[in-house]
Amino acid sequence: MVEMGKRVLDSGWLAARSTEVAATGVQLTTTQPPSGPSAPWMEAAVPGTVLGTLTKNKLVPDPFYGLNNEAILDIADSGREYYTFWFFTTFECAMTGNQHVNLNFRAINYSAEVYLNGHKEILPKGMFRRHSLDVTDILHPDGKNLLAVLVYPPDHPGSIPPDGGQGGDHEIGKDVAAQYVEGWDWMTPIRDRNTGIWDEVSISITGPVKISDPHLVSSFFDNFKRTYLHTTVELENKSSWLAQCSLTLQVATELEGNFSLVEHLQTYELSIPSKTSLQYTFPPLFFYKPNLWWPNGMGKQSLYNVGITVDVKGFGESDSWSHHFGFRKIESIIDSVTGGRLFNVNGQRVFIRGGNWILSDGLLRLSKKRYMADIKFHADMNFNMLRCWGGGLAERPEFYHYCDIYGLLVWQEFWITGDCDGRGDPVSNPNGPLDHDLFMLCARDTVKLLRNHASLALWVGGNEQVPPKDINAALKNDLKLHPFFMSVVGSTALQEDLPQVSDDPSKYLDGTRAYVQGSMWDGFANGKGDFTDGPYEIQNPEDFFKHDFYMYGFNPEVGSVGMPVAATIRATMPPEGWQIPLFKKQSDGYIEEIPNPIWEYHKYISYSKPGKVHDQIELYGQPRDLDDFCEKAQLVNYIQYRALIEGWTSQMWTKFTGFLIWKTQNPWTGLRGQFYDHLHDQTAGFYGCRCAAEPVHVQLNLATYFIEVVNTMSDELSNIAIEVSVWDLEGTCPYYKVTEKIEVPPKTTLPIIEMKYPKSKNAKPVYFLLLKLFRLSNTAILSRNFYWLRLPGNDYKLLEPYRTKKVPLKITSEVLIMGSSYKAQMHVQNISKNSNSRSITWKRVENKKDDNDFDINSVELAEQVVPEKQEGGGGLLSKICKSFCHPTSPNMVKINGTDSGVAFFLHFSVHAAKKDQKDWEDTRILPVHYSDNYFSLVPGEAMTVDISFEVPQGISPSITLSGWNYHKNHKVF
């Protein structure tokens, strides 16, 4: 008997342009199969797209490099036949007994003909639907099977107007497909419109009874003490006789290591007539105080392993299914105070701080490894929500799996955008896609695919548009809430006395999550569908804190700049793309940036807004070259996005319920709206977000200069205080203050004191500010925030000569090596020799000034170390190192210097160690996860940074440190 279960077909695929293959599908899968990757056949990317396959085989240049995309034929010019491709593979599978085999395509774009061993099947149109073919009777007796798939592009691929535009000519909106492929103001057109077998292909081997689309729902009562797991499953008896079945439901919780605890194991008997499908609803399973799943920053992401098995009398185990499931309740209502949409998770308000997500890669080169890096990056930034934008994908289960693990709530939109569905210029497809039944089929299938994920929080009809009336009505009906999940507006209390409900909630298509008709309706933007999201360009940092900056409770899109590091520019563009923008000074003193054509093609967004915002890069001095420009851009990125998040959080719950940044990343090598680039290297904005979005945070309100404490948690912060120190460019501390004991209520941003240094008589035009929020009981630092600031009317040009400061550092490293995985702890200390070089404690002496501020010399000093931030990977060297781990000996490196002062804007990077490195060769190892980066240390201060990464086979890594006043890359490991 062949082993039961699913087998993924993700290797050994070939592809060829259909016009270059004379054989028919029947011939390809019987007498004339391709012999290998010889013309016209080539190795194929499956899952993937036609353009991905052509790029893999270097038959087209990398479309994301420089201006290469302009050299690739667009489907509007070539015709659909040019991108109609055959895909071919073989697989072994011989059936025995009463086994059954299905051939599964989790998604193709846009339609296809399937040939297996000479038999033809049709995969109907639609990018977001699953296809499953029963191939039991057409498998070859010897077990060797030939499979060919002829994939057709979307029916309406459209054309690209000379000026580009949002969604090109909008024709793609007539199909049920991703709309970004015709290009956007942040995206180049995708020449094949993502044609291909773009998601998983598999065969599933079962016995006579098959399990399909189980639905798991948890309901809660008595303040989450009583919990029930509701489960409904679809069962199909493929055999010709009555199947006597034992259906088993098992729920286990994962413990430390590889152990799990089975909490429930229930078996039920049922009979299924031959050739019949039915729905079976298990009796609800009772749990007392289960471990709950919480969003990132609010608690643990507890997941249970739910397994369903069906055994058939006379056969044995026929099929099984398993899924990681999180017990949690999500409610979404319109907040009565702010008018913004409010999310409650497990009865607790969640202040939404997140981002807009398009997709991981524009050629749909999607993988578990890339998804894991993407989602962990967002969790590392302390975000708690991602919005899957309507012009992109219905994201894949792997995306949601990692959102479950890392605690990212997901707002999933359906495939409607204002630009392509009724509001574009010119007005586009006012009735949306041509085939409304197809749209709803794809929508319902998507719901079934994703509904068991704890992270999925909200369904939305479209981006800046509502679906056509009949589709919108159907979605509202299909996604109506079960009575267990209906919230009372204005109340976050659980409904304890619900009426008896006849229908089990797992019988609903979903029933547990709200449906909102569009991204600017019903608590988002102005709630009425007017274009009241944005802005999308550079801002004065202090403006984010002003009450009139944004007028509505929840902003679904607010964005800004996104310049990557210089190494990424060199890696993704030819030398003519390394030219920095011309700075054209206008008569009113504002600067207009004029980028080179390659930057313009890659959608560069300027760091100035003439008439409103002075060039934020030029504030640091005229950039000399690419490295200087990108380094200064990182300074701006950090300030810009920290201010955005801190500004919104400053008015948490009094004016705002949340915001989503447009956007967090790019699916190609774009130059706007990103916290990490397409190669997976973070910008400094990433760490500005990480700092600002801490669950407990100390911050400076840049509009009022009051120091504020943010408490997003459900418990009060008590017995805490803030240490405030100002450091000048000479390395002295002219201003120091420790607050009295503070108490901060839960879910509150509380102004504490004014930071008065700028008003002092001898205030320096440029200075550093260090804020530390700490517990009085044990001096543990809860939040640390470092600013570089300027007096009104000044710029940051004094930081230019500061680059010559030689501030000494000591770096101690410990590294664990586990195969190709590296985990390093880097302990960095500013060892400036200055009489005030030790960090300051909060112990006061009697010599206070009248205004309660006091001098550095009037406090007792003690060395203070900044603790590493707590996260899943923290304290790695304190854990037991098993036999497969190889710890290196502690290594210490000193960077010599005689100056005292702040070690400014330090950042680590990881490289492949090479002897014969070429000029401008990109040696970076990516992705790398840092617990912090782009950080600064005052004299005497130390910090531990955790670094984790994987290295390609045969590569030895090195870790380097550089910074504003550390120009070369100092090798520290």
Side-chain angles (χ1 to χ4, degrees):
M1 183 177 291
V2 178
E3 184 179 357
M4 311 283 278
K6 185 176 80 170
R7 189 192 314 165
V8 176
L9 307 180
D10 59 358
S11 61
W13 285 86
L14 301 174
R17 184 169 282 113
S18 64
T19 55
E20 298 175 2
V21 176
T24 65
V26 172
Q27 292 170 327
L28 287 173
T29 56
T30 53
T31 59
Q32 298 180 39
S35 58
S38 57
W41 294 93
M42 66 195 82
E43 293 183 357
V46 176
T49 65
V50 168
L51 190 55
T53 289
L54 295 173
T55 302
K56 176 181 179 179
N57 289 276
K58 302 188 186 305
L59 295 177
V60 297
D62 180 354
F64 298 163
Y65 182 88
L67 298 177
N68 282 354
N69 200 50
E70 290 298 284
I72 301 173
L73 195 59
D74 191 81
I75 194 171
D77 301 312
S78 68
R80 293 174 68 247
E81 296 80 6
Y82 186 78
Y83 286 111
T84 300
F85 264 61
W86 280 107
F87 292 87
F88 177 89
T89 194
T90 64
F91 64 91
E92 293 192 5
C93 182
M95 305 313 301
T96 58
N98 194 27
Q99 288 184 319
H100 294 259
V101 179
N102 276 58
L103 174 62
N104 310 300
F105 296 84
R106 208 164 64 180
I108 55 102
N109 190 28
Y110 185 60
S111 61
E113 299 173 12
V114 176
Y115 296 84
L116 179 62
N117 301 330
H119 297 262
K120 179 182 178 181
E121 297 284 349
I122 297 295
L123 301 188
K125 299 173 184 179
M127 186 175 179
F128 304 111
R129 62 186 296 184
R130 293 170 296 171
H131 307 270
S132 188
L133 307 173
D134 190 334
V135 297
T136 304
D137 296 335
I138 57 178
L139 292 180
H140 204 281
D142 67 3
K144 297 180 180 179
N145 300 283
L146 308 182
L147 172 64
V149 186
L150 182 62
V151 181
Y152 295 95
D155 290 351
H156 301 89
S159 60
I160 313 303
D163 295 331
Q166 313 291 78
D169 66 357
H170 313 135
E171 283 291 293
I172 194 69
K174 294 179 178 178
D175 296 330
V176 183
Q179 298 181 359
Y180 81 96
V181 292
E182 281 202 65
W184 230 266
D185 59 2
W186 44 265
M187 184 71 196
T188 190
I190 303 297
R191 299 306 186 190
D192 70 342
R193 307 295 190 265
N194 281 160
T195 300
I197 305 172
W198 70 274
D199 199 5
E200 177 186 277
V201 183
S202 67
I203 55 171
S204 54
I205 303 166
T206 71
V209 175
K210 179 175 180 285
I211 296 171
S212 297
D213 293 325
H215 187 197
L216 308 177
V217 173
S218 51
S219 62
F220 302 91
F221 304 91
D222 299 338
N223 198 27
F224 294 93
K225 292 177 183 176
R226 289 192 299 120
T227 300
Y228 294 90
L229 175 65
H230 308 264
T231 308
T232 294
V233 62
E234 296 175 21
L235 300 167
E236 179 186 3
N237 180 5
K238 295 185 173 186
S239 73
S240 300
W241 63 85
L242 178 73
Q244 302 287 345
C245 301
S246 296
L247 196 59
T248 301
L249 176 62
Q250 176 178 297
V251 183
T253 181
E254 294 183 358
L255 303 176
E256 292 296 326
N258 296 320
F259 298 99
S260 62
L261 175 66
V262 176
E263 296 205 4
H264 277 283
L265 180 61
Q266 302 289 336
T267 300
Y268 305 90
E269 306 296 325
L270 71 154
S271 300
I272 308 176
S274 65
K275 305 296 181 181
T276 299
S277 295
L278 59 79
Q279 240 185 27
Y280 180 82
T281 300
F282 289 85
L285 294 182
F286 172 73
F287 293 78
Y288 181 71
K289 290 186 178 180
N291 298 322
L292 299 179
W293 183 94
W294 291 95
N296 187 32
M298 294 184 69
K300 188 178 178 182
Q301 290 75 52
S302 297
L303 293 171
Y304 289 73
N305 191 9
V306 179
I308 301 173
T309 304
V310 59
D311 286 79
V312 176
K313 187 176 181 180
F315 181 86
E317 183 177 308
S318 181
D319 199 5
S320 63
W321 175 92
S322 65
H323 199 282
H324 285 98
F325 180 74
F327 286 93
R328 60 96 184 96
K329 183 175 184 178
I330 295 178
E331 300 166 284
S332 182
I333 60 175
I334 297 176
D335 180 44
S336 60
V337 175
T338 65
R341 183 151 284 271
L342 171 65
F343 290 86
N344 290 329
V345 177
N346 303 332
Q348 297 290 332
R349 286 183 299 172
V350 184
F351 187 68
I352 298 298
R353 297 184 288 188
N356 284 270
W357 168 269
I358 311 302
L359 69 162
S360 184
D361 177 68
L363 300 188
L364 302 186
R365 295 169 292 194
L366 310 176
S367 68
K368 291 181 181 179
K369 185 176 180 179
R370 187 172 180 94
Y371 271 136
M372 183 178 73
D374 282 324
I375 303 309
K376 188 176 188 309
F377 276 165
H378 288 83
D380 287 347
M381 286 188 282
N382 289 311
F383 285 171
N384 56 25
M385 177 174 276
L386 285 172
R387 171 197 175 205
C388 293
W389 175 73
L393 302 180
E395 264 301 351
R396 301 296 88 195
E398 292 78 13
F399 170 93
Y400 278 91
H401 170 71
Y402 289 111
C403 288
D404 290 347
I405 288 176
Y406 290 111
L408 274 296
L409 297 169
V410 183
W411 149 349
Q412 178 68 62
E413 272 174 17
F414 295 106
W415 318 285
I416 296 287
T417 68
D419 301 277
C420 291
D421 296 289
R423 303 181 80 168
D425 182 15
V427 174
S428 56
N429 307 318
N431 201 31
L434 296 180
D435 190 337
H436 289 198
D437 290 338
L438 173 60
F439 186 98
M440 286 307 304
L441 185 152
C442 289
R444 293 177 182 120
D445 197 56
T446 295
V447 173
K448 289 183 178 181
L449 179 68
L450 302 177
R451 63 190 176 185
N452 291 319
H453 287 280
S455 54
L456 179 55
L458 183 72
W459 299 108
V460 177
N463 164 63
E464 297 178 344
Q465 179 62 303
V466 297
K469 288 183 178 180
D470 59 323
I471 291 179
N472 197 30
L475 288 170
K476 285 181 178 179
N477 180 67
D478 286 0
L479 297 173
K480 63 181 179 291
L481 291 171
H482 186 277
F484 285 174
F485 303 94
M486 292 179 180
S487 300
V488 178
V489 177
S491 170
T492 59
L494 287 174
Q495 299 174 49
E496 305 296 351
D497 300 315
L498 289 167
Q500 292 295 316
V501 178
S502 58
D503 279 343
D504 186 287
S506 63
K507 292 183 178 180
Y508 279 49
L509 180 63
D510 186 331
T512 68
R513 303 167 178 90
Y515 167 75
V516 174
Q517 58 187 340
S519 68
M520 299 187 300
W521 279 259
D522 305 324
F524 297 123
N526 77 346
K528 302 174 183 178
D530 299 319
F531 286 102
T532 46
D533 45 9
Y536 302 93
E537 65 275 313
I538 193 77
Q539 304 293 322
N540 293 307
E542 62 272 15
D543 289 348
F544 290 114
F545 294 83
K546 295 177 180 177
H547 189 75
D548 61 354
F549 180 74
Y550 188 72
M551 301 310 297
Y552 309 105
F554 193 117
N555 193 341
E557 296 182 13
V558 55
S560 190
V561 292
M563 192 65 190
V565 298
T568 292
I569 296 295
R570 293 192 176 100
T572 58
M573 297 179 186
E576 53 268 32
W578 304 354
Q579 301 300 312
I580 63 176
L582 298 175
F583 281 40
K584 183 179 179 182
K585 195 163 188 177
Q586 299 181 340
S587 58
D588 56 4
Y590 287 91
I591 287 175
E592 177 189 3
E593 291 185 15
I594 303 175
N596 69 63
I598 297 178
W599 285 26
E600 194 165 10
Y601 189 80
H602 285 251
K603 315 297 184 178
Y604 173 75
I605 187 170
S606 173
Y607 281 70
S608 68
K609 187 177 181 182
K612 182 180 179 182
V613 182
H614 285 287
D615 196 288
Q616 299 293 288
I617 289 177
E618 201 274 336
L619 288 177
Y620 295 89
Q622 185 80 17
R624 299 182 301 275
D625 53 26
L626 180 64
D627 291 286
D628 191 34
F629 182 92
C630 289
E631 185 79 354
K632 289 172 177 172
Q634 299 317 310
L635 291 167
V636 180
N637 290 345
Y638 193 106
I639 289 177
Q640 184 77 179
Y641 286 109
R642 176 175 61 182
L644 188 158
I645 294 177
E646 290 182 341
W648 245 270
T649 308
S650 180
Q651 300 176 77
M652 175 178 68
W653 303 126
T654 59
K655 186 175 182 183
F656 301 127
T657 60
F659 63 90
L660 298 174
I661 296 175
W662 183 267
K663 46 196 181 13
T664 58
Q665 48 75 245
N666 272 304
W668 77 305
T669 51
L671 299 181
R672 67 165 64 192
Q674 60 186 359
F675 298 126
Y676 59 91
D677 58 47
H678 192 246
L679 305 182
H680 270 167
D681 200 356
Q682 299 96 328
T683 72
F686 182 107
Y687 297 97
C689 289
R690 178 176 172 83
C691 170
E694 294 174 309
V696 172
H697 182 61
V698 60
Q699 65 184 40
L700 178 68
N701 185 311
L702 296 179
T704 65
Y705 264 60
F706 265 76
I707 295 169
E708 302 169 338
V709 175
V710 176
N711 180 15
T712 68
M713 307 301 286
S714 57
D715 296 323
E716 180 184 67
L717 284 174
S718 59
N719 200 31
I720 58 173
I722 303 169
E723 179 191 73
V724 184
S725 59
V726 168
W727 298 82
D728 61 25
L729 299 184
E730 285 71 48
T732 62
C733 181
Y735 179 94
Y736 176 73
K737 181 175 183 63
V738 176
T739 67
E740 303 289 346
K741 183 169 70 173
I742 300 167
E743 293 184 351
V744 183
K747 311 289 184 183
T748 300
T749 299
L750 188 66
I752 305 298
I753 56 167
E754 184 180 3
M755 204 281 285
K756 296 182 177 180
Y757 175 74
K759 296 179 179 179
S760 62
K761 186 180 297 184
N762 297 317
K764 302 295 178 66
V766 176
Y767 59 96
F768 303 113
L769 171 67
L770 178 61
L771 304 177
K772 292 180 181 178
L773 178 70
F774 65 92
R775 291 195 186 279
L776 287 167
S777 59
N778 59 6
T779 72
I781 297 173
L782 301 178
S783 175
R784 175 188 181 275
N785 203 347
F786 180 90
Y787 295 82
W788 52 103
L789 299 164
R790 57 195 174 103
L791 296 181
N794 286 270
D795 52 35
Y796 291 111
K797 290 185 172 67
L798 286 175
L799 286 175
E800 188 66 33
Y802 191 76
R803 281 177 155 175
T804 62
K805 280 260 189 179
K806 304 296 182 184
V807 178
L809 293 176
K810 182 172 75 172
I811 304 101
T812 305
S813 62
E814 294 183 74
V815 180
L816 282 179
I817 305 171
M818 297 164 285
S820 62
S821 297
Y822 283 67
K823 294 181 180 296
Q825 277 190 346
M826 315 301 295
H827 185 78
V828 189
Q829 185 175 8
N830 180 339
I831 54 174
S832 294
K833 295 187 180 300
N834 183 283
S835 60
N836 297 333
S837 65
R838 293 171 294 169
S839 289
I840 309 144
T841 70
W842 32 90
K843 184 175 180 180
R844 300 193 180 206
V845 295
E846 293 297 321
N847 184 21
K848 294 183 184 178
K849 298 183 179 180
D850 292 340
D851 62 357
N852 291 325
D853 294 345
F854 55 98
D855 235 57
I856 183 73
N857 296 320
S858 66
V859 299
E860 189 169 299
L861 303 176
E863 184 169 280
Q864 175 69 37
V865 174
V866 180
E868 62 177 290
K869 295 188 178 182
Q870 296 298 311
E871 59 172 307
L876 60 97
L877 293 185
S878 65
K879 297 179 180 177
I880 296 173
C881 180
K882 298 180 181 178
S883 59
F884 57 84
C885 301
H886 306 287
T888 64
S889 300
N891 180 60
M892 194 271 285
V893 173
K894 280 190 175 181
I895 299 175
N896 296 321
T898 58
D899 294 321
S900 177
V902 170
F904 184 49
F905 216 52
L906 301 170
H907 44 99
F908 287 106
S909 57
V910 181
H911 298 263
K914 287 193 171 185
K915 292 182 180 178
D916 303 318
Q917 184 177 337
K918 301 175 183 176
D919 289 343
W920 310 122
E921 182 180 359
D922 186 12
T923 60
R924 290 172 299 169
I925 293 174
L926 298 170
V928 180
H929 298 277
Y930 305 92
S931 62
D932 205 354
N933 222 356
Y934 295 95
F935 59 96
S936 302
L937 297 173
V938 303
E941 194 179 22
M943 179 181 289
T944 297
V945 176
D946 290 343
I947 305 174
S948 60
F949 56 93
E950 290 191 7
V951 298
Q953 189 172 4
I955 296 295
S956 296
S958 67
I959 300 174
T960 63
L961 179 69
S962 57
W964 187 256
N965 39 340
Y966 303 89
H967 309 303
K968 67 176 185 176
N969 288 331
H970 295 270
K971 184 176 178 180
V972 295
F973 169 77

